[in-house]
Each structure stands twice: as C-alpha cells, then as structure tokens.
Amino acid sequence: MAGELQGIVTSDKRDKTITVSIASRETHPLYRKQYTKTRKYTAHDENNEAGVGDKVEIVACRPFSKTCSYKLVKVLEKSHEAVELKDEVLGKSEDAEGEEK
C-alpha cells in the first residue's frame, strides 16, 4: 500500500496520538558524505496500544487533526522496558521494613 512507513515511537503522551521518528541515510550530492536525516510524523493510535520505543508501521490516511495525517497499522516490535520488582520478590517482608524504621 502506498504511504506505508516504519519507525520508532518517540512520544505517546497525547491521547490516541503517537509521534513516530523515521531515520534515513542520505548522501550529499557534492561531497558524497553520508548523513542521517530524521523525520517526525504524528499518527492516530485509536487504542493507545503503542508505547515509547516500539517499532511500528503507519500509513497515510485522511487528516485526523491539523498535524495528524497518518494512522497506526500495527506494532511490529514492543520495546523492552525496565521491570520493577516487588519487595516480596526481593526478599523483604513488611516486618523487616517496620524494624528498619
């Protein structure tokens, strides 16, 4: 389908909207030096399923708002987020915490 892009989610703070960054390598026509160009697109995420760091696929569609003309097709790869462990797993009990205070 025309208008399909793949990128990394850089922001999911807005409701039902994500910001996707797409990096591409280009070569300067005169100096033949390669450089990275990053473009940001805002995309509509109906179910708020994408998070920061996820690799996603977006597609061009009708405008949802002034800046949002893409929608989320699917999440290709979820990011590996840091996991917080509960005190019970770490071996600390409520009695031990009470004695330390």
Side-chain angles (χ1 to χ4, degrees):
M1 177 183 268
E4 286 185 355
L5 300 171
Q6 291 182 1
I8 306 294
V9 177
T10 55
S11 175
D12 63 348
K13 294 185 184 298
R14 293 181 284 175
D15 188 32
K16 297 185 178 183
T17 304
I18 55 175
T19 302
V20 180
S21 292
I22 299 173
S24 61
R25 300 279 293 169
E26 295 185 6
T27 304
H28 193 277
L30 178 62
Y31 301 115
R32 301 292 183 220
K33 180 79 172 179
Q34 286 192 343
Y35 59 95
T36 304
K37 185 176 278 190
T38 304
R39 293 182 177 90
K40 286 187 177 182
Y41 298 94
T42 54
H44 184 71
D45 182 7
E46 183 65 33
N47 301 322
N48 290 325
E49 59 189 278
V52 175
D54 294 350
K55 186 173 182 180
V56 296
E57 184 175 324
I58 59 175
V59 65
C61 63
R62 66 175 177 82
F64 284 98
S65 66
K66 178 181 175 182
T67 60
C68 191
S69 297
Y70 288 85
K71 68 177 178 180
L72 178 68
V73 176
K74 61 183 170 183
V75 177
L76 300 173
E77 183 180 330
K78 295 295 274 184
S79 67
H80 303 290
E81 299 174 323
V83 178
E84 293 184 42
L85 299 175
K86 295 183 179 180
D87 292 334
E88 300 148 2
V89 176
L90 295 174
K92 296 180 183 177
S93 64
E94 293 178 11
D95 298 333
E97 289 178 3
E99 295 173 359
E100 292 173 3
K101 291 182 182 178

